[in-house]
Amino acid sequence: MIESFNCPLPILQHATVQMAHGAGGRLSQDLMRQVFMPRFSNRFLDQLDDQAKLDMPSGRIAFTTDTYVVTPCFFPGGTIGTLAVNGTVNDLAVGGARPLYLSAGFVLEEGFSIADLERIAESMADAARKAGVLIVAGDTKVVQKGSCDGIFINTSGIGVLRDDVSLSCRYLKPGDSILLSGSVGDHGMSIMTAREGLSFQSSLSSDCASLNHMIAAVLDEVPEVHAMRDPTRGGVAAVLNELSLSSSVGIVIEEHAVSVRDEVRGACELLGIDPLHVANEGKLIAAVPSEAASRALDIMCSFEEGRHAAVIGSVTAEHPGMVVMRTAFGTRRIVDLPLGESLPRIC
């Protein structure tokens, strides 16, 4: 009898990401409404159109995009989600922009934990609130198991540039002071501690943070800043070399002025890595005219993210395109670009 046959109801509750979550159907809608919308909700995103219709102040626009593939996706001091938000906010801020809006695109591997996805989304929402930005658009794709490492996130950001500042890695001048907002290598070494097969008994933690509020305060009082950069991949060494090459100037830094936490220094020595090559995700390098350096430094030190800020060196007309460190022993050594990939996938 036909009446004896039963059609089972579809399973709608899953503990892990299913291929159907990326198919545009019922499960896709459930994922959006249960995981993302409660955390990212705002008047632009809530329209659920194929585009975000944004209110933009007048002025020039800054735009940036980046993709985050860090493994593991949870590490001491942050998650891949906090990294995605803060990294994009900082890329806008160091160019002199006020970050306003972000998009977030997720590539999820089949089988990824829904609970972990919720935790990551919550960390992104918290980071966005702290930075004062809105996540206004997004997308989710699901790939077969083995096609990606759990989760990848792309974030793009839009901000409005200030009219009273002009920042570029090409604008350094001999005599400028080089400021660094804190200790180096914290993020890269925290990733190493969390990576499978490596463990250090220490309090290593990522410095992942948004810097836009501190940067805005510095630029309010010191609009004559010449350049700002966040030393992420390649660390302080990569940024200083880029600044030196782009402006055709030399840079001299003092080893004693560059702060490295004991835990980071110990881990770097054990692994044979120069701390200046290790990534940071919550630090700022600024090139400031020497007469304004003390003002900029005082402002940095008034923020938690910059309380250990210091002048670490200066710009010189000598040895253009080269970064030199004066060591604690009174000698000099060249600070070169990192060679190869000593710290894979730190962002």
Side-chain angles (χ1 to χ4, degrees):
M1 298 289 294
I2 294 178
E3 289 80 1
S4 65
F5 289 95
N6 293 316
C7 182
L9 292 173
I11 299 174
L12 299 179
Q13 298 297 321
H14 296 274
T16 61
V17 172
Q18 308 296 304
M19 290 299 298
H21 280 119
R26 176 69 177 272
L27 287 186
S28 296
Q29 294 295 314
D30 288 347
L31 191 71
M32 179 181 65
R33 297 184 185 278
Q34 294 172 15
V35 176
F36 298 121
M37 294 303 296
R39 294 168 175 86
F40 299 162
S41 177
N42 59 71
R43 65 188 180 93
F44 302 107
L45 183 65
D46 292 351
Q47 299 302 309
L48 295 179
D49 290 327
D50 282 342
Q51 70 296 125
K53 301 176 180 69
L54 307 175
D55 297 331
M56 294 297 298
S58 61
R60 294 179 301 147
I61 300 300
F63 175 81
T64 189
T65 189
D66 208 342
T67 303
Y68 297 84
V69 297
V70 66
T71 181
C73 57
F74 301 101
F75 48 84
T79 75
I80 190 174
T82 55
L83 197 61
V85 171
N86 291 335
T88 299
V89 165
N90 292 343
D91 284 347
L92 291 170
V94 296
R98 177 166 65 94
L100 296 175
Y101 305 118
L102 302 183
S103 69
F106 298 84
V107 178
L108 305 175
E109 182 181 13
E110 179 187 13
F112 190 74
S113 165
I114 296 290
D116 284 348
L117 181 60
E118 291 176 333
R119 181 179 166 192
I120 290 168
E122 189 64 44
S123 73
M124 294 179 72
D126 184 58
R129 282 191 293 269
K130 290 178 180 177
V133 299
L134 298 177
I135 298 173
V136 298
D139 181 53
T140 303
K141 294 292 187 293
V142 178
V143 297
Q144 291 181 333
K145 192 171 185 64
S147 297
C148 83
D149 199 355
I151 179 172
F152 297 157
I153 302 176
N154 172 272
T155 43
S156 296
I158 295 176
V160 177
L161 287 162
R162 302 170 61 121
D163 291 329
D164 58 338
V165 299
S166 182
L167 304 175
S168 173
C169 58
R170 304 185 307 274
Y171 292 167
L172 275 69
K173 304 292 184 185
D176 283 355
S177 295
I178 301 296
L179 278 61
L180 175 64
S181 65
S183 60
V184 303
D186 296 339
H187 175 70
M189 285 299 102
S190 75
I191 294 297
M192 294 295 281
T193 65
R195 201 180 300 279
E196 184 178 358
L198 291 172
S199 177
F200 300 101
Q201 300 300 315
S202 69
S203 57
L204 282 169
S205 181
S206 172
D207 59 348
C208 185
S210 58
L211 304 176
N212 54 315
H213 300 308
M214 181 179 73
I215 289 172
V218 170
L219 294 177
D220 283 342
E221 297 297 324
V222 192
E224 60 267 39
V225 171
H226 286 153
M228 288 183 168
R229 291 295 305 273
D230 53 335
T232 54
R233 283 178 294 181
V236 170
V239 166
L240 292 179
N241 273 277
E242 182 177 353
L243 293 172
S244 177
L245 288 165
S246 297
S247 294
S248 297
V249 295
I251 293 178
V252 178
I253 62 173
E254 307 292 339
E255 183 176 31
H256 69 85
V258 180
S259 176
V260 184
R261 294 173 59 203
D262 289 341
E263 298 94 331
V264 172
R265 190 182 302 279
C268 286
E269 290 177 354
L270 183 63
L271 295 169
I273 299 171
D274 186 339
L276 294 179
H277 291 169
V278 181
N280 314 269
E281 288 292 346
K283 296 299 187 299
L284 171 69
I285 290 176
V288 184
S290 58
E291 63 272 15
S294 61
R295 282 187 289 145
L297 189 62
D298 289 343
I299 296 166
M300 282 188 189
C301 290
S302 69
F303 286 80
E304 177 62 28
E305 296 83 8
R307 62 192 178 97
H308 297 302
V311 176
I312 65 166
S314 61
V315 178
T316 177
E318 300 176 6
H319 51 78
M322 184 181 298
V323 180
V324 173
M325 172 184 279
R326 280 199 281 254
T327 72
F329 301 103
T331 60
R332 294 191 176 205
R333 74 172 178 91
I334 295 174
V335 178
D336 208 347
L337 286 165
L339 181 64
E341 190 180 27
S342 57
L343 291 172
R345 295 183 61 176
I346 46 73
C347 64

